[in-house]
Amino acid sequence: MKILFVYTSLPKGGIETFFVRIAKELFNDGYEIRFLFFGNVFDDELIKELEKFAIIFNINKYLIAPNIYKKQTPLLKLLIPIKKEKLHRDVLEGITHIHAPDYNSLLYTGKILPIKSEIKVTTGVYHINEYNFSSSSIWYFKNKIEKLLKNFPWQNILFFNEISKEFYTAKFADNFKKSVVTPIGINFTHENSMLLGEQNNKIVSIGRLTQWKKYNFHMLDVIKSLQNKNIFFYYDSYGSGSELTLLNNKVKDLELQDYVTFHGNIPYTKFKETISKKLMFIGGGTALIEASALGIPSLIGIENEEEPLSYGFLHNTSTYSYQEKQLKFDKKNIEYFILYLKGLSEESYKSECEKARLRAKDFSIDKTKIDFINMINSSQKFNFFLNYYHLTRIVLSMFLNKLFCPNTNYSKRL
């Protein structure tokens, strides 16, 4: 069986590292895996790893346009004609299933598929707001993309936490009530049996510095608040993103240069080394799970939380939903959890590390692989095609929405 993943790019990120892991698992089970990318941003380390398990293509090779146009954003490239026969021969020949993980991928899938195709299309809700557009219903792109999702057979979609499934089941009139919930899985090796936490004054984060990851800002206030009580901690954050300048400015304003450092990106292979011997990790996504797997108590950074609050550590939760703002868990100040860990006896702290490691096992890639294969095997064929008229209206609608409604556009994480 040949499976094609259609996706934007492969920068360093939790979802992207997951795609490399699931590609490896499927490859080892005898599937032929292909990836078709339509963007231009790639992490060299991830691409080299993915090449071991998948055949990689880029839409740029099949665009009928000068090279300068191939450097445009993926959205604009949707409107450039493609060499359909060559793409179908090189990429789609023998493909039985396409997995399109987000709405951009679905648009490209609708562009490249023949009008009558036997290829089955699947998707996943990798983030609760992926298809949750905040714009009003006057926008064509919103209505068209939501209609595409609503027409998906329930067998053809995976949810990666319970709150996402509940949200979209309500939004689309119970259409996805029977769909599967699975973890965004991580690998477990003999290294995961180690407990790498250390009861010191060092806190670490790894992740993109985006608007909805407000815990990065909150940590600066927390570190300063503790200093005002004569309690000193160091906070090291690894990653890049749009908020880096604002964060560094706040570090200077609070005079925390000796205690807080934003280091930029690190190679994925340095993850274990970077978080080892830290009191705790704070963050979200797969990085939070991987830190827990290595025996680091991992504090949940709630997405878009305006106050320095958390639900607690990953091992204080029991479901695949743990970081979304919509959850009903009690919250406490981040400072509380830091002082809690610091104040434990040596034996009690080791117990927290062990709880972290055991909880992470709930997110094993073995579970994800089984659910993914079951989705592929049970997926249904349905008409999935977008002509040039539809794509033009979608792109124009997105452009105008972003121009006139920048605070409610399609890229916003609510």
Side-chain angles (χ1 to χ4, degrees), residues 67-112:
N67 286 334
I68 189 171
Y69 291 101
K70 297 176 182 179
K71 297 179 181 179
Q72 296 297 320
T73 65
L75 190 61
L76 290 178
K77 284 196 286 189
L78 270 172
L79 303 182
I80 300 176
I82 58 173
K83 304 170 186 175
K84 287 190 175 182
E85 288 188 8
K86 181 172 175 56
L87 184 140
H88 292 171
R89 184 174 61 251
D90 292 356
V91 182
L92 295 180
E93 183 68 35
I95 293 295
T96 55
H97 296 79
I98 288 177
H99 186 64
D102 57 16
Y103 70 82
N104 277 320
S105 304
L106 286 178
L107 295 179
Y108 269 89
T109 300
K111 175 185 176 73
I112 67 173

Side-chain angles (χ1 to χ4, degrees), residues 328-381:
K328 304 299 183 183
F329 302 144
D330 291 335
K331 303 174 186 177
K332 291 184 180 179
N333 197 287
I334 291 172
E335 185 175 316
Y336 164 84
F337 294 104
I338 295 172
L339 295 178
Y340 166 76
L341 283 183
K342 188 64 175 175
L344 290 174
S345 67
E346 182 179 348
E347 200 60 36
S348 294
Y349 178 75
K350 287 182 179 179
S351 176
E352 290 291 309
C353 295
E354 179 64 20
K355 289 176 185 176
R357 188 182 66 83
L358 291 176
R359 168 67 170 124
K361 286 188 174 182
D362 294 337
F363 296 84
S364 170
I365 192 74
D366 294 336
K367 164 68 171 166
T368 314
K369 180 182 69 173
I370 292 170
D371 289 335
F372 191 94
I373 292 173
N374 286 340
M375 175 186 68
I376 292 296
N377 290 336
S378 64
S379 60
Q380 305 295 302
K381 188 170 74 70

Side-chain angles (χ1 to χ4, degrees), residues 52 67 132 168 178 226 339 356:
K52 298 176 183 177
N67 286 334
N132 181 30
Y168 286 98
K178 297 180 183 178
L226 289 168
L339 295 178

Side-chain angles (χ1 to χ4, degrees), residues 32-62:
E32 181 178 313
I33 306 301
R34 299 179 181 182
F35 273 76
L36 175 64
F37 293 109
F38 46 89
N40 300 308
V41 181
F42 300 95
D43 179 78
D44 289 341
E45 179 192 13
L46 289 183
I47 280 289
K48 287 179 182 177
E49 186 67 14
L50 183 60
E51 286 174 339
K52 298 176 183 177
F53 318 111
I55 304 170
I56 298 174
F57 302 91
N58 194 298
I59 197 71
N60 289 345
K61 182 178 179 180
Y62 304 97

Side-chain angles (χ1 to χ4, degrees), residues 5 7 10-26 35 46 50 53 99 101 124-126 158-160 182-187 268 285-287 289-290 363-372 375:
F5 286 75
Y7 195 53
L10 203 71
K12 194 185 305 296
I15 299 300
E16 290 75 21
T17 57
F18 166 72
F19 289 145
V20 175
R21 291 193 294 273
I22 195 67
K24 178 180 179 180
E25 295 295 322
L26 294 170
F35 273 76
L46 289 183
L50 183 60
F53 318 111
H99 186 64
V125 178
Y126 288 79
L158 284 177
F159 290 91
F160 290 91
T182 195
I184 298 182
I186 66 169
N187 291 318
Y268 184 62
T286 56
I289 301 166
E290 292 185 88
F363 296 84
S364 170
I365 192 74
D366 294 336
K367 164 68 171 166
T368 314
K369 180 182 69 173
I370 292 170
D371 289 335
F372 191 94
M375 175 186 68

Side-chain angles (χ1 to χ4, degrees), residues 109 124 130 185 189 200 207 213 276 288 315 395:
T109 300
E130 181 58 43
T189 66
N200 52 32
K213 295 184 178 182
S276 294
L288 180 84
H315 60 268
V395 171

Side-chain angles (χ1 to χ4, degrees), residues 173-295:
D174 296 340
N175 189 43
F176 302 125
K177 188 174 287 185
K178 297 180 183 178
S179 298
V180 172
V181 178
T182 195
I184 298 182
I186 66 169
N187 291 318
F188 283 85
T189 66
H190 70 280
E191 293 181 344
N192 296 123
S193 63
M194 303 176 185
L195 300 180
L196 299 180
E198 188 173 292
Q199 201 173 14
N200 52 32
N201 60 348
K202 298 178 181 179
I203 301 168
V204 64
S205 290
I206 297 180
R208 292 175 183 162
L209 304 177
T210 59
Q211 285 185 331
W212 60 90
K213 295 184 178 182
K214 296 185 182 297
Y215 59 83
N216 289 291
F217 289 96
H218 297 327
M219 278 301 301
L220 306 187
D221 295 320
V222 168
I223 296 295
K224 189 65 178 181
S225 173
L226 289 168
Q227 284 189 4
N228 291 337
K229 299 171 185 175
N230 246 2
I231 306 171
F232 297 89
F233 281 86
Y234 295 90
Y235 176 51
D236 291 281
S237 177
Y238 297 83
S240 60
S242 59
E243 305 302 287
L244 179 59
T245 300
L246 290 175
L247 287 163
N248 277 323
N249 288 340
K250 185 167 183 176
V251 169
K252 293 177 183 177
D253 290 343
L254 294 176
E255 298 181 342
L256 292 174
Q257 294 94 325
D258 293 335
Y259 297 91
V260 176
T261 307
F262 290 92
H263 296 269
N265 288 326
I266 57 165
Y268 184 62
T269 52
K270 298 288 187 182
F271 183 92
K272 175 187 169 185
E273 174 187 324
T274 301
I275 70 170
S276 294
K277 298 182 179 180
K278 301 296 191 297
L279 173 73
M280 60 173 254
F281 180 97
I282 181 169
T286 56
L288 180 84
I289 301 166
E290 292 185 88
S292 280
L294 292 168

Side-chain angles (χ1 to χ4, degrees), residues 107-122:
L107 295 179
Y108 269 89
T109 300
K111 175 185 176 73
I112 67 173
L113 274 182
I115 295 177
K116 292 184 179 179
S117 176
E118 295 301 312
I119 298 175
K120 297 174 181 178
V121 180
T122 63

